[in-house]
């Protein structure tokens, strides 16, 4: 069976990573969460005092980028690869609201995007990969055999994110989560470098009213049809 590249783009909290993990496991493909890579750079900037609510030292972050090493290590117990920043497991730390509040600003920096896109393209050289993010079908893999664009209403996405954070034990307010979702949408869609846009040949998946099972089955059908087309 020929292997293909599956590019999944879309707004925050649309379940891109969830369905990407499901597809990768089902197909035996490599899964790469590019959003986690940008979150790891953001965490680095926070840890080194380069970004806070009042200031963002962009030049210092760009200068220190060579010191930022991001890797993925598969966790058999969890069934997916966790993110490591300079050799330290940061899978939980990068999922906080604090990181969410800064990640879109960090991801808008051209030098950051260039560094991570190069890594992402190298990971996908042999195909058989499922990658999700904001610019996978437009920038990272413009020739991907299958491109999906995930969307849902801001309120639906905020509720999902809120439930996830509460389930982890984080203390958050729904209105703050909704505000963060809308702010990230604006920044992601309006940045100069690789803004979030739907690739012309991407299939739109609005999962506002879908269960996870319905979403997976719908997308899996598209995957199977695409693989058949390339055999």
């Amino acid at each position: 069976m020929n292997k293909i590249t599956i590019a999944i783009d879309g707004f925050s909290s649309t379940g891109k990573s969830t369905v990407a993990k499901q597809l990768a496991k089902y197909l035996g493909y490599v899964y790469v969460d590019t959003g986690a890579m940008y979150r790891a750079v953001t965490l680095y900037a926070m840890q080194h005092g380069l970004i806070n609510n009042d200031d963002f030292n962009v030049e210092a972050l760009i200068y220190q980028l060579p010191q930022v090493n991001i890797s993925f290590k598969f966790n058999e117990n969890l069934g997916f690869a966790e993110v490591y920043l300079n050799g330290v497991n940061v899978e939980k730390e990068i999922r906080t609201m604090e990181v969410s509040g800064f990640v879109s600003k960090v991801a808008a920096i051209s030098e950051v995007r260039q560094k991570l896109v190069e890594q992402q393209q190298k990971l996908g050289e042999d195909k058989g990969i499922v990658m999700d993010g904001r610019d996978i079908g437009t920038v990272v893999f413009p020739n991907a055999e299958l491109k999906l664009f995930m969307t849902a209403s801001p309120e639906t996405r905020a509720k999902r994110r809120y439930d996830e954070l509460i389930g982890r034990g984080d203390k958050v307010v729904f209105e703050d989560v909704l505000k963060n979702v809308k702010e990230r949408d604006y920044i992601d869609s309006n940045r100069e470098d690789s803004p979030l846009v739907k690739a012309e040949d991407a299939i739109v998946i609005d999962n506002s009213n879908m269960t996870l099972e319905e979403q997976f089955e719908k997308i899996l059908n598209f995957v199977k049809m695409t693989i058949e087309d390339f055999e």
Side-chain angles (χ1 to χ4, degrees):
M1 181 182 292
N2 288 335
K3 290 187 176 182
I4 64 172
T5 297
I6 303 173
I8 305 178
D9 291 308
F11 295 97
S12 65
S13 301
T14 48
K16 300 185 300 296
S17 297
T18 298
V19 73
K21 289 174 185 175
Q22 288 177 313
L23 289 173
K25 184 176 182 179
Y26 182 90
L27 298 167
Y29 280 18
V30 174
Y31 163 64
V32 177
D33 178 357
T34 64
M37 298 173 76
Y38 287 101
R39 284 176 172 273
V41 177
T42 302
L43 180 62
Y44 175 91
M46 292 168 61
Q47 291 174 338
H48 292 77
L50 305 181
I51 190 169
N52 54 50
N53 290 325
D54 302 313
D55 187 45
F56 182 11
N57 194 333
V58 176
E59 291 185 359
L61 176 59
I62 293 172
Y63 180 77
Q64 294 182 36
L65 278 178
Q67 302 173 32
V68 181
N69 186 288
I70 301 168
S71 58
F72 292 87
K73 294 183 182 179
F74 189 78
N75 184 320
E76 292 186 0
N77 293 326
L78 296 176
F80 62 85
E82 296 179 294
V83 183
Y84 283 71
L85 173 62
N86 292 333
V88 178
N89 186 327
V90 293
E91 183 65 34
K92 183 175 181 179
E93 288 83 350
I94 63 173
R95 309 293 178 182
T96 64
M97 273 292 289
E98 288 77 15
V99 171
S100 295
F102 295 128
V103 65
S104 289
K105 294 180 181 179
V106 172
I109 306 304
S110 295
E111 288 81 358
V112 172
R113 302 200 69 80
Q114 181 180 351
K115 173 185 175 73
L116 298 188
V117 167
E118 288 176 357
Q119 290 186 24
Q120 293 155 12
Q121 290 175 330
K122 187 173 183 179
L123 289 169
E125 286 179 346
D126 298 325
K127 296 188 179 294
I129 190 168
V130 185
M131 191 174 289
D132 71 277
R134 301 290 192 281
D135 61 352
I136 311 306
T138 54
V139 176
V140 182
F141 297 126
N143 297 316
E145 289 82 1
L146 178 61
K147 301 177 186 178
L148 303 171
F149 189 87
M150 311 286 290
T151 185
S153 70
E155 290 75 17
T156 297
R157 292 183 283 126
K159 181 64 166 58
R160 291 171 181 167
R161 180 72 174 140
Y162 173 79
D163 290 342
E164 176 187 351
L165 292 169
I166 290 296
R168 279 186 4 182
D170 294 357
K171 295 181 179 180
V172 294
V173 178
F174 175 77
E175 286 72 18
D176 292 339
V177 178
L178 178 60
K179 180 182 178 182
N180 174 254
V181 165
K182 291 181 176 179
E183 287 178 346
R184 290 181 65 188
D185 285 354
Y186 181 82
I187 295 174
D188 290 342
S189 301
N190 290 276
R191 65 183 179 224
E192 292 185 10
D193 190 341
S194 307
L196 170 62
V197 293
K198 183 184 81 69
E200 290 185 3
D201 52 346
I203 298 169
V204 177
I205 305 291
D206 186 335
N207 60 19
S208 297
N209 300 305
M210 286 186 191
T211 65
L212 291 177
E213 292 75 16
E214 290 171 340
Q215 173 181 266
F216 179 69
E217 288 301 322
K218 183 181 183 71
I219 291 175
L220 184 59
N221 284 332
F222 286 121
V223 171
K224 291 178 176 178
M225 287 188 292
T226 302
I227 291 176
E228 288 176 2
D229 288 342
F230 283 87
E231 285 187 340

